[in-house]
Amino acid sequence: MSDVTNILASLKQKKYAPVYFLCGSEPYFIDQVSDYIEDNVLDEGEKGFNQMVIYGKEATMEEVLENAKRFPMMSDYQVIIVKEAQHLVKQLAKLESYIEQPQPTTILVFAYKYKTPDGRSKITKLLKKHAVYMESKPLYENKVPAFVTGRLKEMGYQIDPNATRMLVEFLGNDLGKINNELSKLALVHSKEQPITPQVIEDNIGISKDYNNFELRKALGVRDVVKVHRIINYFAENPKENPFVLTTAQLYSFFVQLLKVHTLKDMNPQAVAKAAGVNPFFVQEIITAAKNYPMKYCSRAIKVIRDMDVKSKGVGTHQADPTDLLKEAMVNIMSK
């Protein structure tokens, strides 16, 4: 994200480069930069003659370069944005001479999504040397909560940590989807009030009481009744609560506890860092660590792995996910 931040900061200062090559598997950051250029470099009067969007699926590199070499009309710059540029992968080498001597009054942007060009090729080396080259990578899950709070802060909103956790669990690290949901929330929720779990439940449809984080919390305090209540809710709403996601969350939970058990000092800051959680949730982790000593965490991880294997049909026949989950919870919570 630092590359995105630096690029946007330069653009806002009107420091433009002749070529931007935006690539990688996370389309959100690519769109963030290309959309900013499309919306802000030229004013509305200049865009009619000096801004063009080309789609790589429908164009050739020769056409792109022919337009890039033109001079702007009654403007300091012309902007050419090549969307779906990954479809030009076999023609990238034709960029070599232009990259070394680009048209200084053209801002040429390639939105090369879902992949990166061959790093060994001459053109990629030239792009890295002479252009603004950005490789957009997905955020690790533990970085997504900060993205959510940061994005909402930009929009003028505050969000409760539990609400953030609900969003991240439900939407994963798909930043485009997260941004869309946050934009929808902004249409219906006042900036005067923080976004709470109830707001998320009312507007996005995620249950604030029956989700994987509530399951982990109930498991951590050995609340047998609540654990089984949540599992029954999952059984009734399997599409919103996929078994594979629950398995991953449970595995991650006990791995976190194992990391905490390796600490010599169980102060909140050290626990938050070891577990990779917001300090707001440290007490939950400390309580769970007390309830599950290291050997129990190791056993729990084995139980979860066995459950995962059985769910895939290994060593059993048509195992029901709910039954597997209930059996695993009993084995994990037994002493």
Side-chain angles (χ1 to χ4, degrees):
M1 284 176 65
S2 59
D3 284 344
V4 179
T5 303
N6 293 336
I7 292 169
L8 290 174
S10 294
L11 289 169
K12 289 173 184 177
Q13 294 171 18
K14 300 188 182 300
K15 297 177 181 178
Y16 305 133
V19 180
Y20 292 82
F21 196 89
L22 315 171
C23 63
S25 54
E26 176 49 75
Y28 176 79
F29 297 125
I30 295 173
D31 287 339
Q32 195 176 19
V33 175
S34 64
D35 288 350
Y36 185 89
I37 293 172
E38 185 174 356
D39 295 340
N40 296 282
V41 171
L42 301 180
D43 62 37
E44 291 304 317
E46 295 171 321
K47 287 179 181 178
F49 292 105
N50 298 291
Q51 185 155 293
M52 177 182 295
V53 175
I54 299 173
Y55 290 87
K57 199 171 184 178
E58 303 168 357
T60 65
M61 189 62 76
E62 286 86 354
E63 292 171 332
V64 172
L65 295 177
E66 181 181 346
N67 285 289
K69 291 174 182 176
R70 291 185 308 152
F71 288 95
M73 294 180 63
M74 296 177 288
S75 174
D76 292 332
Y77 297 99
Q78 71 159 341
V79 173
I80 300 192
I81 299 174
V82 185
K83 297 187 177 182
E84 301 176 359
Q86 65 273 16
H87 292 289
L88 295 172
V89 58
K90 294 181 180 179
Q91 303 179 51
L92 283 182
K94 297 176 182 178
L95 259 179
E96 291 175 5
S97 59
Y98 182 83
I99 292 297
E100 293 180 307
Q101 290 186 311
Q103 171 64 270
T105 54
T106 293
I107 299 172
L108 177 58
V109 182
F110 289 93
Y112 191 97
K113 292 182 177 179
Y114 311 114
K115 56 179 69 177
T116 58
D118 186 349
R120 299 165 298 179
S121 65
K122 180 180 178 182
I123 182 57
T124 303
K125 293 174 182 177
L126 287 172
L127 285 167
K128 290 181 178 180
K129 181 178 180 181
H130 297 291
V132 173
Y133 183 95
M134 183 189 81
E135 183 176 344
S136 180
K137 299 179 180 179
L139 290 185
Y140 290 113
E141 188 175 318
N142 64 348
K143 301 292 184 183
V144 179
F147 170 83
V148 171
T149 54
R151 182 74 185 96
L152 283 170
K153 186 176 180 181
E154 290 173 5
M155 298 163 69
Y157 290 86
Q158 292 183 319
I159 185 168
D160 180 278
N162 279 308
T164 301
R165 189 157 72 165
M166 287 172 63
L167 275 173
V168 173
E169 183 208 344
F170 187 70
L171 300 173
N173 65 346
D174 186 331
L175 302 187
K177 188 184 293 186
I178 290 172
N179 190 60
N180 287 339
E181 293 298 338
L182 297 183
S183 298
K184 291 176 188 176
L185 277 178
L187 295 174
V188 297
H189 190 68
S190 169
K191 293 181 180 179
E192 305 301 317
Q193 300 293 328
I195 296 170
T196 63
Q198 188 64 54
V199 173
I200 299 295
E201 180 170 335
D202 292 344
N203 294 282
I204 297 182
I206 312 168
S207 172
K208 66 180 175 61
D209 297 314
Y210 301 98
N211 56 65
N212 284 314
F213 283 107
E214 287 300 313
L215 176 60
R216 287 168 38 144
K217 185 176 179 180
L219 191 59
V221 296
R222 292 183 175 272
D223 187 337
V224 177
V225 173
K226 188 170 183 180
V227 165
H228 283 84
R229 190 181 297 146
I230 293 171
I231 292 172
N232 288 332
Y233 179 87
F234 286 1
E236 294 170 3
N237 301 272
K239 289 185 179 180
E240 291 77 22
N241 304 278
F243 177 81
V244 65
L245 179 59
T246 299
T247 302
Q249 287 287 348
L250 291 172
Y251 179 83
S252 173
F253 178 58
F254 283 100
V255 169
Q256 285 177 321
L257 296 187
L258 277 179
K259 291 179 179 177
V260 169
H261 280 303
T262 65
L263 297 174
K264 294 180 180 179
D265 184 358
M266 293 282 281
N267 71 75
Q269 187 176 3
V271 171
K273 184 176 180 181
V277 299
N278 185 307
F280 183 86
F281 302 109
V282 163
Q283 191 54 53
E284 288 181 20
I285 295 292
I286 291 175
T287 299
K290 290 178 180 177
N291 282 327
Y292 294 94
M294 184 175 285
K295 68 175 182 179
Y296 285 91
C297 291
S298 299
R299 186 184 72 180
I301 288 173
K302 183 181 184 304
V303 169
I304 293 165
R305 283 175 171 167
D306 290 344
M307 177 183 70
D308 181 50
V309 168
K310 289 179 181 177
S311 73
K312 294 169 182 172
V314 179
T316 187
H317 180 66
Q318 294 183 333
D320 179 74
T322 301
D323 291 340
L324 287 175
L325 198 51
K326 286 182 176 180
E327 180 185 9
M329 295 301 97
V330 169
N331 290 335
I332 288 172
M333 288 188 286
S334 64
K335 292 187 177 181

